[in-house]
Amino acid sequence: DTEVTQTPKHLVMGMTNKKSLKCEQHMGHRAMYWYKQKAKKPPELMFVYSYEKLSINESVPSRFSPECPNSSLLNLHLHALQPEDSALYLCASSPLAGGVGDPFFGPGTRLTVL
Amino acid sequence: AQSVTQLGSHVSVSEGALVLLRCNYSSSVPPYLFWYVQYPNQGLQLLLKYTSAATLVKGINGFEAEFKKSETSFHLTKPSAHMSDAAEYFCAVSVRGSSNTGKLIFGQGTTLQVKP
């Protein structure tokens, strides 16, 4: 299994809702990432987990809450989002954080906040 | 600090013509460099990477890139464009340092249009 899966593929939520994005990989990678990509822009890093511990938070607002329950799974919990948070959320994994291993990207979850 | 600049936000070529997408980097340490492709409504797919081995790197789908330290460049080329190459292309540098984060810094992207 050489892929990163993300669910759901699309998500529409209101500003008062609570939802979660899920990312899974079974490649034995020990680093996992959340990126945010606005339309016509490059991805921007949000969080890095290394060995299930949060190693980087790129000053992301607290309405985004990451969680790494085990080495294969990465969640992003969403609460009280704003319309400007609408974007493509990409999960990625790599064998180790900072090594030469290729970051594998998932297909993304397209989030719309109403 | 590392950074990447992609010259040309939009490149248009005819089918069968040479593809050249430009990328210049800035890094205080030897960089790891990547080219990714993104098709509409999809994630990023790795085309190729440079990790300080051979300076000419061959990737998937007939693409290759040459690392030129003197020019701080990592341009992506393909001898003959195919209609299926139409997509968004991102050059990226991996941030390296004591924290060893694995963070990727992306260029602004280049949209490749292939005309029949």
Side-chain angles (χ1 to χ4, degrees):
Chain A
D1 189 355
T2 58
E3 64 174 355
V4 175
T5 59
Q6 290 188 244
T7 55
K9 192 171 183 177
H10 300 277
L11 178 62
V12 179
M13 60 186 290
M15 289 190 284
T16 58
N17 292 156
K18 285 185 180 181
K19 297 286 185 184
S20 296
L21 310 184
K22 179 180 173 181
C23 172
E24 202 161 1
Q25 57 87 16
H26 296 286
M27 295 178 280
H29 289 176
R30 302 313 300 268
M32 296 186 78
Y33 313 79
W34 282 114
Y35 282 82
K36 173 182 178 179
Q37 186 180 24
K38 301 282 279 184
K40 305 294 185 185
K41 295 291 186 183
E44 294 180 336
L45 183 68
M46 300 174 73
F47 303 103
V48 179
Y49 273 84
S50 180
Y51 291 91
E52 295 96 71
K53 291 189 184 337
L54 183 66
S55 61
I56 295 252
N57 176 342
E58 291 285 287
S59 302
V60 179
S62 59
R63 57 186 184 268
F64 295 91
S65 176
E67 178 196 20
C68 189
N70 59 58
S71 61
S72 301
L73 191 57
L74 184 67
N75 298 319
L76 186 63
H77 303 298
L78 314 171
H79 174 55
L81 295 193
Q82 303 297 309
E84 59 264 30
D85 297 321
S86 298
L88 181 68
Y89 287 84
L90 294 163
C91 175
S93 71
S94 62
L96 291 171
V100 300
D102 315 334
F104 280 75
F105 280 83
T109 293
R110 187 159 300 281
L111 174 67
T112 302
V113 182
L114 301 177
Chain B
Q2 286 93 341
S3 67
V4 169
T5 301
Q6 290 184 241
L7 301 174
S9 60
H10 190 99
V11 170
S12 182
V13 301
S14 298
E15 190 174 20
L18 172 71
V19 175
L20 171 61
L21 304 182
R22 298 178 187 273
C23 173
N24 287 90
Y25 70 91
S26 173
S27 179
S28 57
V29 297
Y32 294 158
L33 294 162
F34 304 82
W35 274 100
Y36 283 88
V37 61
Q38 187 175 33
Y39 298 100
N41 300 312
Q42 293 190 25
L44 277 72
Q45 181 182 13
L46 181 70
L47 282 175
L48 48 82
K49 64 178 179 180
Y50 168 77
T51 55
S52 72
T55 56
L56 182 62
V57 181
K58 294 188 183 298
I60 62 171
N61 301 340
F63 285 94
E64 64 181 36
E66 186 172 7
F67 173 73
K68 291 187 176 180
K69 184 178 179 180
S70 60
E71 298 177 9
T72 61
S73 68
F74 190 57
H75 302 331
L76 182 71
T77 60
K78 182 174 180 177
S80 176
H82 192 271
M83 296 297 291
S84 61
D85 294 327
E88 188 78 12
Y89 290 80
F90 291 100
C91 182
V93 63
S94 179
V95 175
R96 298 173 62 198
S98 58
S99 61
N100 218 23
T101 64
K103 174 179 178 177
L104 289 176
I105 302 291
F106 288 90
Q108 289 301 303
T110 298
T111 302
L112 176 64
Q113 180 187 25
V114 182
K115 297 176 291 186

